[in-house]
Structures are given as structure tokens and as C-alpha cells.
Amino acid sequence: MTRMIRTLVVEDDPVLAEAHRLYVERVPGFEVADVARTGADALRVLAARDVDLVLLDVYLPDMTGLDLCRTLRARGDAVDVIAVTSARDLPTVRAAVSLGIVQYLIKPFQFSTFRSRLEAYADFRRAAESADTLRQDELDRILDGLRSPRPAQLPKGLADSTLTALIGILRTASPLTAAELADRAGVSAPTTRRYLEYLTARRLVSGQPRYGGPGRPETVYQWAG
């Protein structure tokens, strides 16, 4: 089973904090560990809970996001950080790079851009965990994926809203057959199978045969997050 990437949202603006929380929940393979409105709150969460990724604003009311990163590194916390901020001056960007921030996303942005950054990070994480050592070409490919995320568009014929709806049903009601999922979502069975193929290829859904009567077994799909 693929483990979800536990994500901490650090954002002082309540509207943006809620938007970023919802954005994270819409990206397959990610879940929100918590939302922190200050640097001190973020440090408390990180000291108490297992977090894989921090989405970090630079401008916080009690400290800068960079100061928060410095505190984390000083206490030996190597949690991955993506800066999600309106700060775009060169000294801030250079400081972020020096602190090991893996990506830098400038506000404002659309969900498709946000999703592409998180998907690129997920690919980076999977590749980095798949082997103890890397060849030069493998390392270059991993780092290139972080620097140049793949296009955010879904395959032709798939819609983001339908994908989100199907994922929500699978998370709460699986295992389901393609027909059962289609009925719950109000989508045709052939269309539902296309989305299931997409999710299965990304290892977010697993399919297993179900035997219950004469004839061919049915395939049931389980959310793998």
C-alpha cells in the first residue's frame, strides 16, 4: 500500500490556509497532517507529529518562514519544505535554496500549478526512496523533475472535477467494482474504468478479483492511500 504524504500547511491568512488545505486534499497521494497559522504553532506540530512535507509561507506573524526553517535544521529536522509565498526577492530565494527548500511556488497560482508541484515532489520522493544509491543519469532525472514539473493537464478526456469526485468515493467506500463506483458517482461505467486505469497506473488504486458466483470474477478496486 502506498503511504500518503503527510503535509503540514503553514499559512497565517485564514482564507489561503483553508484554500491550501483543500488543494492538498485534492491531490492524490497527499493528506493534510495539520494547519498552522504561526511559526510557533508549526514548530509544535512538527515536534509532536510525523510530517513528510511542509508547505511554508515566508511571511508569518511571529517569525519568517526562513527562520522557521533555520530552527528546524538546527534541531536536526530534515523535513522537506516547499515555499508557498508571495516573497520573490532574490535574497529570500537564495536563502531558501541554502536551507534545502525543495520547491518555490509564488502566489498567486491556480490549482493546476499547485498540483503539478506536488505531483513532481511525489515523483521525486518515490524515486529517492526506491534505491540506496543512484547513477548520475538517475540523479539528474530526479532533480530535473523537481525543477521542471511535468505539465499539469490530465490525460485527454479526463476531467479534474470527475477525478476528484471518484477519489472521494474511493477513499470512503472502497472496495468497489467499476460498476458500483460509476453508479455512486453518476458516471458511465466505461468512463469510470478510464479513471480507474489512470489511478491504478499511478499506484493510487489497486484492483483485485472478487469471486462470488459462477462465471468470471469481478474486479474490485481499493484506494491504496
Side-chain angles (χ1 to χ4, degrees):
M1 180 178 292
T2 303
R3 187 173 67 81
M4 301 287 277
I5 296 174
R6 296 161 298 199
T7 305
L8 171 63
V9 176
V10 184
E11 170 62 61
D12 66 311
D13 184 300
V15 174
L16 291 179
E18 177 65 8
H20 296 170
R21 182 186 70 80
L22 293 173
Y23 276 9
V24 171
E25 292 180 346
R26 290 177 62 188
V27 181
F30 289 79
E31 66 180 3
V32 176
D34 211 331
V35 177
R37 300 280 298 280
T38 67
D41 286 344
L43 290 171
R44 281 192 289 270
V45 171
L46 289 162
R49 303 186 61 177
D50 290 331
V51 173
D52 302 307
L53 176 66
V54 178
L55 301 182
L56 180 63
D57 188 14
V58 169
Y59 300 125
L60 299 172
D62 55 343
M63 66 179 75
T64 70
L66 297 178
D67 287 337
L68 189 153
C69 271
R70 292 186 182 100
T71 301
L72 291 174
R73 301 317 184 215
R75 71 186 191 187
D77 192 332
V79 64
D80 289 333
V81 178
I82 295 177
V84 182
T85 180
S86 59
R88 61 184 71 195
D89 59 284
L90 184 56
T92 297
V93 174
R94 291 183 64 182
V97 172
S98 71
L99 289 166
I101 291 178
V102 296
Q103 285 196 354
Y104 202 100
L105 182 56
I106 296 175
K107 303 174 188 174
F109 49 79
Q110 295 182 334
F111 171 68
S112 59
T113 301
F114 180 90
R115 183 181 65 203
S116 71
R117 296 304 190 276
L118 263 62
E119 289 177 342
Y121 169 76
D123 289 344
F124 161 77
R125 187 178 180 89
R126 281 191 292 268
E129 292 177 347
S130 65
D132 294 328
T133 60
L134 296 170
R135 300 190 309 270
Q136 183 66 55
D137 62 322
E138 293 172 327
L139 177 61
D140 291 342
R141 185 170 64 251
I142 291 172
L143 296 179
D144 285 345
L146 275 179
R147 289 192 293 264
S148 303
R150 64 182 177 278
Q153 291 84 6
L154 289 171
K156 186 177 180 180
L158 302 189
D160 182 73
S161 58
T162 303
L163 179 64
T164 300
L166 292 173
I167 288 172
I169 295 169
L170 286 165
R171 277 178 163 167
T172 58
S174 61
L176 295 168
T177 66
E180 290 167 341
L181 178 59
D183 184 63
R184 286 174 180 251
V187 180
S188 71
T191 297
T192 300
R193 290 189 183 94
R194 288 196 60 201
Y195 285 91
L196 287 169
E197 290 170 0
Y198 171 77
L199 291 170
T200 301
R202 296 184 62 78
R203 296 184 294 180
L204 296 170
V205 166
S206 60
Q208 299 292 333
R210 180 170 69 186
Y211 300 89
R216 298 175 61 183
E218 292 183 295
T219 299
V220 292
Y221 296 90
Q222 175 74 49
W223 179 252

